[in-house]
Amino acid sequence: VNSLVEKFIILFNNDFFNTSFPVLEKAIEVGSVFEGWSPHEEDIPYCLLVPLKPPRGHIFHLEPCSMWPGRNFRVRVELVCTCGMVQPTRETHCFLHDPEEEQRRNEGPSILQDLCTGSYLDVQKTAEWFQKMVRGFWKDLPESAAYRLMPLPSERSCKFRVLRGWEKMFLIELIFGVQEGDSDIFLSSQYIEAAYTSRTLWPETYAVAEMKFFRLIASQAQPDSFHLRCLQLCTRSLMGREFSAYTLKTVVMHLLTTMPLSHWHRRHFLQRLEDIMGYLQSCLKKRCLNHFFIGNDNVPDVIILPLELRMTEPFNIFQHLAQNPNAHENAQLEF
């Protein structure tokens, strides 16, 4: 999966080199499959986040959008003056002030004309453009001789299945991200849970930070640690109920930083399951489960967070239960 996606990105960057389209960086493995657990048993998507960098002569300006729940942003694309600046390509023309560059930008394809609504990066346009390019580049890859590519409908990501004959091989989903500074936090093309998501809205995602967290735990835990099995069993048991997989994942991350890793051995399996359920029950009673990466002093230092996330007050992901007595009652019955 990684090799295939890497080849796509190389073809993209070669084809759109020194143009007004975004630069694609190395894809980052995210999600439960790469973390080593999954709430599903089959047809699991291999999810990778593709960071987008602004093209030469442009910048991304991240604007908080307070009208939506959670931390969400819009990405405004702006032209910047590059007069006198020597670019890596030794190109010195300025998109903003050079008449030839301005004419080329106005007449040819560009990020502002093709991937934006107004001046804001449009998630759906970006996903459609990427999906179209994947279909076009497939024939240039050696894998196309033995495999088939089946694009799948998706408004905010690039999703496709790789098949050998009629046999399912891989389900791959590429989401797009804009990095917040040099941190492990990105704005992503994913939907906001249980809400309509505007085409120009980029929700904050912690998927890269979560991946780093579970890799850190794997490097420090004993080889026969059962923390991932505990998470997998709990999420599969509660699928289709009031509690999302992310709720259980948050509970387990909190416990992994407040309980010695030596206590997650195979022989402690049932005790740890009881601890997970006990923690969840306590959070339900208080109607409060704090987000792991927002205002949490226990986040390992190796995970790079924006200063704002470290300094802010903890964020309650059970806020809807605190505000809605009926939802709280339903959650308790489900538990």
Side-chain angles (χ1 to χ4, degrees):
V1 170
N2 271 322
S3 174
L4 181 62
V5 172
E6 185 176 356
K7 289 173 185 176
F8 274 129
I9 290 176
I10 290 172
L11 288 172
F12 268 58
N13 286 334
N14 287 342
D15 206 57
F16 293 99
F17 175 73
N18 202 27
T19 69
S20 297
F21 275 95
V23 178
L24 310 183
E25 295 202 313
K26 182 178 174 62
I28 306 170
E29 303 168 341
V30 295
S32 60
V33 175
F34 288 115
E35 289 168 354
W37 66 280
S38 176
H40 306 284
E41 292 185 356
E42 57 183 24
D43 212 23
I44 310 162
Y46 290 81
C47 188
L48 296 99
L49 184 143
V50 180
L52 305 178
K53 289 291 186 182
R56 180 178 65 87
H58 299 70
I59 60 169
F60 289 159
H61 183 70
L62 312 184
E63 297 182 352
C65 192
S66 58
M67 69 177 69
W68 299 88
R71 288 175 53 87
N72 305 288
F73 295 77
R74 295 200 295 173
V75 180
R76 191 170 79 240
V77 182
E78 296 180 343
L79 290 166
V80 291
C81 177
T82 58
C83 294
M85 293 175 58
V86 179
Q87 303 297 322
T89 59
R90 298 182 181 177
E91 187 66 66
T92 57
H93 298 295
C94 176
F95 276 178
L96 199 58
H97 297 121
D98 189 284
E100 292 183 7
E101 290 286 1
E102 184 178 3
Q103 182 178 359
R104 188 190 310 172
R105 187 183 75 246
N106 291 334
E107 293 178 352
S110 70
I111 185 173
L112 281 165
Q113 288 189 14
D114 295 83
L115 303 184
C116 289
T117 294
S119 298
Y120 293 97
L121 194 59
D122 187 305
V123 172
Q124 193 167 325
K125 289 180 180 180
T126 303
E128 289 172 352
W129 165 70
F130 205 92
Q131 190 94 311
K132 180 182 177 182
M133 293 299 106
V134 163
R135 289 198 300 266
F137 286 135
W138 175 249
K139 64 181 183 301
D140 298 325
L141 297 180
E143 286 84 354
S144 63
Y147 300 92
R148 288 193 306 118
L149 183 80
M150 179 188 291
L152 300 173
S154 179
E155 292 184 345
R156 297 180 67 91
S157 64
C158 177
K159 191 180 292 186
F160 54 92
R161 196 186 300 281
V162 178
L163 307 98
R164 178 183 291 161
W166 293 103
E167 180 186 358
K168 297 177 182 178
M169 299 297 292
F170 305 109
L171 175 59
I172 301 173
E173 182 174 20
L174 304 178
I175 60 176
F176 313 104
V178 176
Q179 189 175 14
E180 292 188 37
D182 60 353
S183 74
D184 293 318
I185 307 302
F186 286 75
L187 310 183
S188 83
S189 61
Q190 293 172 302
Y191 284 99
I192 299 174
E193 189 174 345
Y196 164 76
T197 311
S198 165
R199 295 170 60 129
T200 58
L201 197 72
W202 293 73
E204 196 168 58
T205 181
Y206 312 91
V208 175
E210 289 160 11
M211 184 65 180
K212 285 186 68 173
F213 174 81
F214 281 105
R215 283 183 173 170
L216 176 67
I217 296 297
S219 69
Q220 295 177 347
Q222 297 175 4
D224 56 355
S225 176
F226 259 55
H227 62 282
L228 293 177
R229 292 293 180 89
C230 290
L231 176 56
Q232 187 173 53
L233 180 60
C234 290
T235 52
R236 287 188 181 179
S237 300
L238 295 177
M239 286 294 288
R241 297 188 179 273
E242 185 75 22
F243 310 100
S244 68
Y246 197 78
T247 295
L248 271 298
K249 184 177 180 178
T250 301
V251 167
V252 171
M253 287 193 294
H254 278 299
L255 288 174
L256 283 169
T257 56
T258 55
M259 186 178 293
L261 292 178
S262 58
H263 290 191
W264 292 86
H265 190 272
R266 178 194 294 266
R267 64 178 178 271
H268 303 128
F269 187 59
L270 290 178
Q271 291 174 268
R272 295 296 79 82
L273 290 179
E274 288 183 1
D275 289 336
I276 293 169
M277 290 297 107
Y279 194 102
L280 179 57
Q281 185 178 35
S282 173
C283 291
L284 278 175
K285 186 176 181 179
K286 296 183 294 185
R287 307 184 193 190
C288 180
L289 171 59
N290 287 333
H291 194 284
F292 184 75
F293 293 103
I294 300 177
N296 180 13
D297 293 334
N298 288 327
V299 175
D301 292 336
V302 70
I303 296 171
I304 305 170
L305 299 178
L307 182 61
E308 180 186 356
L309 285 189
R310 287 195 176 273
M311 303 297 293
T312 193
E313 291 296 315
F315 177 77
N316 179 17
I317 64 176
F318 275 179
Q319 198 167 17
H320 63 292
L321 301 183
Q323 297 170 346
N324 187 340
N326 290 334
H328 180 239
E329 185 178 353
N330 289 337
Q332 286 183 309
L333 289 173
E334 284 288 282
F335 179 81

